Amino acid sequence: MLENKKALLFALLILQNANFLVAICLVLFGLYALLFKKNLIKMAIGIAIIASGINLFLISAGYRKGGVAPIFTEATIKASEAETRMVLPTPQALTLTNIVISLAVTALMLSLAIRIYQQTGTLDATKLGRLDEL
Amino acid sequence: MTLAILKTASGFWNPLAFVAFFIGVCIIIFILRAFGKKDFKPSKYKADVFFSGNIASEASRVKASDLFWGFFEAMKPYYNLITKIHTGIINDYALWYVIVASLLLTVLTLGVLQWA
């Protein structure tokens, strides 16, 4: 019975922190692609996955159960409840900024990859390491 | 018009202090200059390029990179190591980035935990 209770608590802990666990997994997947994949396009995909993991982490960190948007003019709650019910806008603003930046970074990486392919005919990072031997 | 003193955590900022400092530096420079030779006359040869005591012909060329020759020579063990690390493979650079970032995060976390 006690074992069951422990297992249940553990499962609950995992479920409650599922967002953070998924965020960590995404960052680790992205790091794997960044460090071990030799194709430049796959590395770009890895960096995009890392950015997604960080977005998920930021949004999860700012989550409040039953929270409302921090807009006072359109709030459906009393002004006295604002401190306890409204969510913190900073993580959301940071996430929005990160989405835009990661989009720009992805576009830059892919355009560089296209130019590299046009110039050298390869996307293999190990071959690009010695450009004078190509 | 008042020149307010801007106090910060690491000191204060005041334009008058900067002017006073500048005047002080100028006075020191003039004193040092006064120690110079009184009988110095600029001539053609005194302005020649010093080429390590060698006779430099007009045709000889000194490359810009040669200016750093002593620097590179003195730090050869360091540069040999750094040149070997630079493989040119982007995965290795990413790995260095991850290592340095994790070290910084560790130091920051330890620092925060210490002060918390």
Side-chain angles (χ1 to χ4, degrees):
Chain A
M1 188 66 190
L2 195 68
E3 284 297 312
N4 279 348
K5 202 177 175 185
K6 266 188 181 175
L8 201 68
L9 277 174
F10 183 71
L12 202 67
L13 194 72
I14 296 284
L15 277 176
Q16 277 178 339
N17 296 301
N19 292 2
F20 295 102
L21 291 174
V22 172
I24 290 168
C25 287
L26 280 174
V27 171
L28 289 179
F29 285 148
L31 275 179
Y32 170 76
L34 184 63
L35 296 179
F36 298 109
K37 291 289 170 190
K38 304 296 176 195
N39 191 310
L40 291 184
I41 302 282
K42 287 181 183 174
M43 292 179 75
I45 292 171
I47 292 174
I49 292 173
I50 292 175
S52 304
I54 290 167
N55 286 342
L56 183 60
F57 171 75
L58 286 172
I59 275 294
S60 306
Y63 178 73
R64 172 175 263 182
K65 202 175 177 183
V68 293
I71 307 167
F72 276 91
T73 49
E74 292 178 17
T76 52
I77 56 167
K78 291 176 196 163
S80 57
E81 285 180 336
E83 206 173 318
T84 52
R85 294 278 312 274
M86 279 184 172
V87 296
L88 189 68
T90 318
Q92 301 185 8
L94 277 174
T95 308
L96 194 61
T97 312
N98 195 25
I99 289 168
V100 176
I101 290 171
S102 60
L103 177 79
V105 168
T106 309
L108 181 70
M109 284 188 299
L110 291 178
S111 59
L112 281 174
I114 290 168
R115 288 294 295 150
I116 286 168
Y117 189 75
Q118 283 174 346
Q119 289 280 327
T120 63
T122 180
L123 283 172
D124 193 332
T126 51
K127 284 179 188 165
L128 290 166
R130 297 268 173 258
L131 277 178
D132 49 340
E133 290 168 12
L134 273 174
Chain B
M1 185 187 144
T2 55
L3 286 166
I5 293 171
L6 185 69
K7 279 183 184 166
T8 64
S10 54
F12 72 97
W13 189 89
N14 188 349
L16 287 177
F18 275 82
V19 171
F21 178 75
F22 181 71
I23 290 169
V25 169
C26 285
I27 289 168
I28 291 168
I29 288 169
F30 275 110
I31 289 168
L32 286 176
R33 198 174 180 278
F35 284 115
K37 284 186 178 177
K38 297 282 187 295
D39 56 343
F40 177 80
K41 284 187 185 70
S43 77
K44 187 189 169 190
Y45 301 106
K46 280 176 183 168
D48 273 357
V49 176
F50 180 73
F51 191 54
S52 303
N54 299 308
I55 298 161
S57 68
E58 278 185 26
S60 68
R61 291 283 182 273
V62 182
K63 285 191 287 180
S65 61
D66 292 341
L67 291 172
F68 301 104
W69 177 82
F71 188 75
F72 285 123
E73 194 67 18
M75 298 182 77
K76 214 161 193 173
Y78 170 73
Y79 277 105
N80 284 341
L81 183 74
I82 286 291
T83 315
K84 270 181 203 159
I85 290 170
H86 275 78
T87 54
I89 299 166
I90 196 164
N91 301 84
D92 295 347
Y93 295 105
L95 182 64
W96 279 112
Y97 184 83
V98 171
I99 289 170
V100 172
S102 57
L103 276 176
L104 284 175
L105 266 178
T106 312
V107 170
L108 274 174
T109 313
L110 288 176
V112 168
L113 286 177
Q114 195 186 346
W115 289 105

